[in-house]
Amino acid sequence: MQIVVITGGTDGLGKGLALHYLQQGAHVIAIGSTAEKGQALLAEARALSAGRISFVRADLTSVAASRELVRRLAEDHPVVDKLILCAQRYRLLGDRVTTREGFEHSFALAYLSRFVLSYGLHDALRAARRPVVMNVGTPGVPLGRIHWDDLQLTQTYSGTRATLQSFRANDLLGVACGVLHAGSGISYIGYNPGVVSTGMPASLPQPLRAVTTAFFTLFAASVPRAIAPMTVLLDDPPAEPFTAHWQKRRLSLDGRAFDRHDALRLHDITRELISC
Ligand SMILES: NC(=O)c1ccc[n+]([C@@H]2O[C@H](COP(=O)([O-])OP(=O)(O)OC[C@H]3O[C@@H](n4cnc5c(N)ncnc54)[C@H](OP(=O)(O)O)[C@@H]3O)[C@@H](O)[C@H]2O)c1
């Protein structure tokens, strides 16, 4: 039975993929921070009997919680076939928020948790026949940058800047994993799903929530439609250690967003930040 681990597996794209792989007969482990969403997922899954589904509650804004999740997953599942990274909560407006460990919120949730899981589950992934990691974000979008001198954005915070920095950090995370895990057989995929109607607006303050919901109603793809090309890649991943895709289109890795030197620099800084 394939083991499919999905952070943010209780809503939006992650939930769509969780139910898809459940129907395919996999054992899906869906991670989210709220118990209610986890219970709702399990209730919905009961009607689909093909595979197995588990919900793990974890607040991935915490590096310690991400590490504990890795420890638990690796202990219970020595082989992980697919790791899908979707956990995200946008904080586009409002003041800078830091986690208990002192990291800026978007940096912690959208980037550090993915760093910890991508490297922490390496051995379990490596043990799979055709292992794949899909980091779902916005590769190919030419917005945002890494603020090398102030990664926690203490001087120049804005919600948009923090969100965009976390996206660009994930582009570099994929590059670094590709370099450092070359030869492991793991295919690391940076994936941009385009605009998809998910639970994302629910976490936005008004009036941004209403505007985003209306925009999604008019222009966004549905989750079932958006996950179709994702499952094609997940089931038949490219042979290269790192590739980036915007829906069905494979992206060139030539630009600054995928710079190898920057990727290894951010990797080293991140290791130091979280002491590993
Ligand atoms: N939707 C789009 O148009 C779009 C476009 C481009 C890229 N993306 C990317 O696609 C990915 C999935 O987005 P989505 O729109 O499907 O998101 P979504 O519907 O808002 O779902 C987010 C998921 O993340 C979980 N989550 C949030 N905070 C968490 C925390 N602290 N710890 C653990 N889990 C947490 C949520 O569960 P809880 O609430 O229970 O914690 C939920 O399962 C994201 O990386 C996003 O950036 C989406």
Side-chain angles (χ1 to χ4, degrees):
M1 192 180 247
Q2 277 207 58
I3 302 292
V4 180
V5 174
I6 310 178
T7 71
T10 58
D11 210 342
L13 290 160
K15 179 181 172 185
L17 289 165
L19 295 175
H20 170 84
Y21 281 109
L22 178 67
Q23 284 171 296
Q24 299 297 305
H27 179 182
V28 176
I29 298 141
I31 296 130
S33 71
T34 54
E36 295 75 15
K37 281 192 193 176
Q39 297 314 324
L41 174 72
L42 296 183
E44 197 171 334
R46 249 169 242 134
L48 316 166
S49 58
R52 222 181 120 189
I53 191 157
S54 318
F55 165 63
V56 178
R57 185 178 178 195
D59 177 1
L60 297 178
T61 58
S62 158
V63 173
S66 301
R67 284 194 171 129
E68 173 55 22
L69 176 66
V70 164
R71 192 198 61 73
R72 199 168 149 187
L73 288 170
E75 194 174 283
D76 293 349
H77 306 287
V79 180
V80 169
D81 296 276
K82 294 177 175 35
L83 169 63
I84 304 169
L85 301 166
C86 286
Q88 173 83 294
R89 180 153 300 137
Y90 295 102
R91 299 186 65 90
L92 296 174
L93 300 177
D95 293 338
R96 179 174 175 273
V97 169
T98 54
T99 64
R100 261 184 294 151
E101 291 155 341
F103 297 111
E104 185 280 319
H105 178 277
S106 295
F107 188 82
L109 173 60
Y111 169 63
L112 288 181
S113 77
R114 296 180 187 210
F115 182 97
V116 171
L117 279 144
S118 298
Y119 288 105
L121 289 178
H122 174 256
D123 288 349
L125 284 159
R126 209 180 166 163
R129 199 178 60 79
R130 212 155 170 211
V132 57
V133 181
M134 180 176 275
N135 187 334
V136 185
T138 64
V141 171
L143 296 172
R145 67 181 178 87
I146 305 296
H147 298 264
W148 294 104
D149 297 333
D150 185 20
L151 282 176
Q152 302 309 314
L153 300 174
T154 54
Q155 309 299 318
T156 55
Y157 179 81
S158 81
T160 308
R161 191 169 289 147
T163 302
L164 291 174
Q165 172 174 257
S166 71
F167 282 131
R168 300 295 67 86
N170 276 302
D171 293 344
L172 294 177
L173 170 59
V175 176
C177 281
V179 172
L180 298 170
H181 294 168
S184 68
I186 301 171
S187 172
Y188 200 107
I189 297 171
Y191 189 85
N192 184 336
V195 182
V196 187
S197 184
T198 65
M200 188 275 253
S203 60
L204 300 175
Q206 294 288 19
L208 189 57
R209 190 189 316 158
V211 173
T212 311
T213 304
F215 180 82
F216 272 20
T217 308
L218 289 174
F219 301 109
S222 67
V223 168
R225 190 164 169 196
I227 65 165
M230 299 171 86
T231 61
V232 170
L233 274 174
L234 285 161
D235 293 340
D236 187 14
E240 294 92 326
F242 174 68
T243 55
H245 306 254
W246 188 325
Q247 296 165 317
K248 290 181 186 161
R249 185 163 59 90
R250 186 151 160 179
L251 298 169
S252 159
L253 301 182
D254 286 342
R256 185 72 202 258
F258 303 110
D259 183 81
R260 183 188 160 115
H261 171 80
D262 283 355
L264 295 176
R265 180 181 176 195
L266 186 62
H267 173 265
D268 290 348
I269 294 173
T270 307
R271 280 189 58 138
E272 232 171 85
L273 274 177
I274 61 172
S275 314
C276 66

